[in-house]
Amino acid sequence: MLRRWPTALALVLTVPGMVTGGSGDTAVADSVEMYGEALPLLPLLDVVSQSMALTVIALIVLVLGAVRGTPHGPVTFRIQAAGAFVFCVLALAGLAVDPDLGRYLVAAGWFFHGVWDFAHLKLDRLDGLVARTFAEWCGVIDVCVGIEPALLL
């Protein structure tokens, strides 16, 4: 079993969601949207670094949103664009500097993205951008991931 820890971890993280996952059209639609949006990125992760792939995708989305407009209006777009810019800067700066400093920059990005998610939930400002359950899950994961690098000795 020790040699199969990746399999065990994957099952621990995914099986409970399969068993207790929501039901109904909304839960199915949320799952299809979440997994469908991530699917095209998976093969790219074998070719380029995750940070580069995600940064390029974020920039493309921002440019398309600025040129074509977004269904959620210009105010929501500006807020999301500002967040994307700040998180991209923290990520790229964290990757570019000494790892001792970089871990705090990356940790700050993850931690504050969790705060970002919780603020959106509290203010009920999801505007159809993501499912409430996904924003809550993401906020918890982000805060935990943000704390982890600071605890490394």
Side-chain angles (χ1 to χ4, degrees):
M1 184 67 166
L2 289 176
R3 288 184 40 233
R4 299 275 51 111
W5 71 264
T7 299
L9 180 60
L11 291 172
V12 165
L13 292 175
T14 57
V15 169
M18 291 180 217
V19 175
T20 62
S23 60
D25 293 340
T26 303
V28 170
D30 289 346
S31 292
V32 169
E33 184 176 345
M34 179 176 66
Y35 291 124
E37 289 172 349
L39 188 57
L41 182 60
L42 298 179
L44 296 176
L45 300 179
D46 294 332
V47 180
V48 296
S49 71
Q50 294 177 17
S51 61
M52 186 57 64
L54 293 173
T55 301
V56 168
I57 290 169
L59 291 174
I60 290 169
V61 168
L62 287 174
V63 169
L64 287 175
V67 172
R68 296 174 58 197
T70 65
H72 304 290
V75 173
T76 299
F77 176 76
R78 284 193 293 271
I79 292 168
Q80 297 301 117
F85 177 77
V86 169
F87 296 127
C88 282
V89 166
L90 284 169
L92 295 175
L95 293 169
V97 300
D98 179 72
D100 285 333
L101 172 59
R103 72 177 170 156
Y104 293 108
L105 294 172
V106 171
W110 278 88
F111 183 83
F112 286 115
H113 189 268
V115 172
W116 169 275
D117 289 328
F118 290 127
H120 279 67
L121 278 169
K122 176 77 172 159
L123 298 172
D124 199 25
R125 295 283 309 163
L126 297 173
D127 297 326
L129 296 171
V130 297
R132 291 186 64 79
T133 53
F134 181 74
E136 179 181 337
W137 175 84
C138 189
V140 171
I141 292 289
D142 292 350
V143 167
C144 290
V145 169
I147 292 170
E148 182 183 344
L151 298 177
L152 296 174
L153 299 175

